Amino acid sequence: MFPTRRLASQGFFKRSADEFGRLSRIAWNTEALHTPTKPYNLLNFEDEATTTGCKTMADRAVGGFSTASLDHEPADPSSNTPSHARFHGTISTKLPENWRVERTGYAAFRNQDRGFWLLGRLYWDVDPYAYLALRIKSDGRRYTVNVQTDAVVETDIHQHRLYTRHHRVRQEQPEAYESNPESPDAAEDLYPGGMPAALSDVPPESTIISTSTSTTTSGSDGWETVLLPFSSFVRTNYGFVVEPQTSLTRQRVKSIGIGLTDRVDGPFDLRIHKIWATNGMGEADIEEERRICGGNALPLDEGVRSGWTEQSEQLPEKESKQKSQEPQQKGLKGLKWEE
């Protein structure tokens, strides 16, 4: 069999070598026999190729007037700001002249299909991990994380709200939503079984976000890391919650993206540094977390640090003192939403 020019030009052999290398490391280190403690990078936007490898979507495809762009922003060493992707544009709920279009006002992006390797189509296998982690800098709007897998129904997407410290709930900004209120009938169509916890305005306790009240960081102000449980993602189809609810197929993840569907007119701006799968903040990424997020950094997860062994090593006195001064990562007590 001879590879076609199309396969060779798009890195078919490189993808195959990288995937074989990753699987070989897992086998050599017997990582499949215990819970992983190291992160599994999915989309690292420090690499400009990752940004250019994503696609943006907006209601302009159906005649709307919303815009969406995904640009690569270089690093700023003076403020410890890393290279990242900037998802920005404008939301417009103006309807086109096409009478068939009844709703507009959305924008999103996701990675392109990962292509093929030697054993078929390439997917992400995040089955050994509990959380999807995102390091972002948000403007406070109501973004949604979208995960698509190789499911029986190809158009199914599992969604979870992207909660942040700067997240604004509907009750705190009534004037921003009065122009586009969701009617009771529309809400009933979208959520026939009631609003799922992972899509509500108030984050569930399973979501791990920083509860720090610090307003200063060593890096750029506003950077933070959010951990979303894979088990909390809600199955949807064309924006509607569908039944029966099924967990996402973690062994065959096709794409990951972020969308904005709050239908509030005006500009939006979201910065994304990295997206990865994890079981908690471990020693492998805690240094980077503290350097970029500063006072908003999540604390070191003791389970990940010790490998969940019953007899873990004692922390050095200096690290123990520092840990006692850090905010707790779980729970939402003390978290203040922006007004």
Side-chain angles (χ1 to χ4, degrees), residues 224-243:
E224 58 187 304
T225 299
V226 183
L227 305 186
L228 306 177
F230 283 114
S231 58
S232 297
F233 277 74
V234 179
R235 179 192 173 202
T236 66
N237 194 286
Y238 290 107
F240 294 87
V241 176
V242 295
E243 298 292 343

Side-chain angles (χ1 to χ4, degrees), residues 113-125:
D113 291 342
R114 301 189 65 203
F116 293 85
W117 69 304
L118 196 59
L119 299 182
R121 187 174 292 277
L122 192 58
Y123 300 100
W124 284 306
D125 182 3

Side-chain angles (χ1 to χ4, degrees), residues 103 106 144-146 153 155-160 182 186-192 194-196 199 234-243 245 260-261 263:
R103 288 170 63 90
Y106 64 86
T144 303
V145 179
N146 306 315
V153 182
T155 53
D156 276 357
I157 293 179
H158 284 77
Q159 297 184 320
H160 198 297
E182 295 286 355
E188 185 176 352
D189 291 338
L190 288 172
Y191 315 114
M195 175 74 75
L199 299 179
V234 179
R235 179 192 173 202
T236 66
N237 194 286
Y238 290 107
F240 294 87
V241 176
V242 295
E243 298 292 343
Q245 281 293 309
L260 179 60
T261 58
R263 303 189 70 243

Side-chain angles (χ1 to χ4, degrees), residues 275-339:
I275 301 176
W276 70 97
T278 184
N279 285 307
M281 193 60 62
E283 292 181 333
D285 45 10
I286 190 63
E287 181 179 350
E288 181 183 65
E289 171 76 3
R290 291 169 177 166
R291 174 174 55 84
I292 297 175
C293 300
N296 296 333
L298 294 178
L300 181 67
D301 189 300
E302 283 303 299
V304 176
R305 188 195 68 83
S306 63
W308 294 277
T309 56
E310 294 183 359
Q311 296 181 350
S312 59
E313 298 179 357
Q314 295 294 328
L315 285 172
E317 182 178 354
K318 180 179 179 181
E319 187 173 351
S320 299
K321 183 178 180 181
Q322 183 177 9
K323 178 178 179 296
S324 64
Q325 297 174 352
E326 292 178 345
Q328 295 295 322
Q329 67 175 0
K330 290 194 175 183
L332 301 171
K333 294 182 179 179
L335 184 63
K336 297 181 179 179
W337 305 117
E338 284 192 350
E339 297 182 357

